[in-house]
């Protein structure tokens, strides 16, 4: 990215807006390591045009709006897959694949929403890479994607950290 002249992200010419290692996802390895009930692997390129177009509606951004939109689509879809199993869980953990939990989690209060204590470059918001809460609070994170237009209007900036903080404050029972 270019050095921004203000607090907002300036996308460099020809910047794809997302970056990856180029490695292919090995579904068999994931199945053998984690034994998930459901596994869905998406190619982000399938959604690139749609989210490039939608990103134009969010010009004031601390991160790439396209990435933010795609991130919360994945969060929404992962929770929907979980709900489709018909099972109920005491606690739900949703995390990025590059987050490693090196130690067992302590006993958690099932009425609290947990995130990592990270903030955006304006020192606002909260973590957007790990969500832990009970089934009743899943909607807080699941619904962010579909509520982004309204949240953006209210807070005036596109930023996953601020979307999460706003949603926890507004929708946590």
């Amino acid at each position: 990215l270019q050095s921004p002249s203000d607090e907002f992200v300036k996308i460099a010419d020809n910047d794809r807006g997302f970056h990856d290692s180029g490695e292919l996802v090995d579904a068999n390895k994931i199945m053998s390591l984690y034994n998930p009930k459901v596994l869905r692997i998406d190619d982000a390129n399938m959604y690139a045009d749609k989210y490039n177009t939608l990103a134009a509606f969010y010009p004031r951004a601390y991160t790439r709006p396209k990435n933010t939109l795609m991130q919360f689509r994945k969060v929404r879809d992962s929770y929907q897959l979980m709900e489709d199993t018909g099972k109920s869980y005491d606690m739900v953990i949703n995390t990025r694949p590059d987050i490693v939990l090196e130690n067992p989690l302590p006993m958690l209060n099932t009425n609290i929403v947990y995130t990592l204590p990270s903030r955006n470059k304006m020192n606002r918001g909260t973590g957007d890479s790990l969500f832990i809460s009970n089934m009743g609070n899943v909607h807080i994170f699941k619904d962010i994607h579909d509520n982004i237009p309204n949240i953006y209007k209210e807070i005036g900036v596109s930023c996953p950290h601020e979307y999460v903080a706003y949603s926890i404050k507004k929708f946590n029972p």
Side-chain angles (χ1 to χ4, degrees):
L1 291 175
Q2 300 168 334
S3 298
S5 58
D6 58 26
E7 73 266 31
F8 300 108
V9 170
K10 302 292 187 216
I11 305 299
D13 290 337
N14 300 317
D15 185 357
R16 294 183 342 203
F18 62 92
H19 306 282
D20 61 46
S21 65
E23 296 176 84
L24 296 177
V25 174
D26 185 340
N28 291 328
K29 187 171 184 179
I30 292 171
M31 294 298 286
S32 69
L33 289 172
Y34 300 107
N35 192 28
K37 300 292 181 200
V38 179
L39 176 64
R40 182 174 119 187
I41 299 172
D42 288 337
D43 179 355
N45 293 314
M46 292 178 9
Y47 304 97
D49 290 340
K50 174 184 177 179
Y51 284 101
N52 274 328
T53 301
L54 290 173
F57 292 100
Y58 308 100
R60 296 172 48 94
Y62 296 147
T63 60
R64 293 177 180 94
K66 173 184 161 184
N67 288 9
T68 300
L69 291 163
M70 290 177 70
Q71 171 188 355
F72 287 110
R73 181 193 59 80
K74 291 176 186 178
V75 169
R76 180 198 65 198
D77 292 355
S78 69
Y79 283 125
Q80 188 61 54
L81 285 172
M82 179 194 66
E83 289 176 346
D84 289 348
T85 69
K87 296 184 185 286
S88 182
Y89 302 91
D90 294 332
M91 296 294 282
V92 177
I93 300 172
N94 187 298
T95 186
R96 289 187 344 206
D98 60 337
I99 301 293
V100 176
L101 301 174
E102 295 183 344
N103 297 299
L105 292 172
M107 289 299 294
L108 299 173
N109 182 331
T110 59
N111 296 314
I112 293 178
V113 175
Y114 297 92
T115 65
L116 293 177
S118 57
R119 294 174 165 271
N120 64 23
K121 64 184 177 180
M122 302 302 287
N123 199 31
R124 296 196 309 242
T126 190
D128 66 332
S129 57
L130 173 74
F131 312 128
I132 303 174
S133 193
N134 64 46
M135 286 285 289
N137 287 333
V138 162
H139 70 90
I140 293 172
F141 307 111
K142 179 184 169 201
D143 295 343
I144 290 174
H145 177 273
D146 296 337
N147 288 319
I148 285 176
N150 296 327
I151 298 170
Y152 179 84
K153 283 180 194 171
E154 197 148 329
I155 65 176
V157 66
S158 174
C159 175
H161 300 278
E162 295 204 30
Y163 289 165
V164 170
Y166 172 90
S167 296
I168 291 171
K169 288 177 188 172
K170 180 141 183 147
F171 302 111
N172 192 23

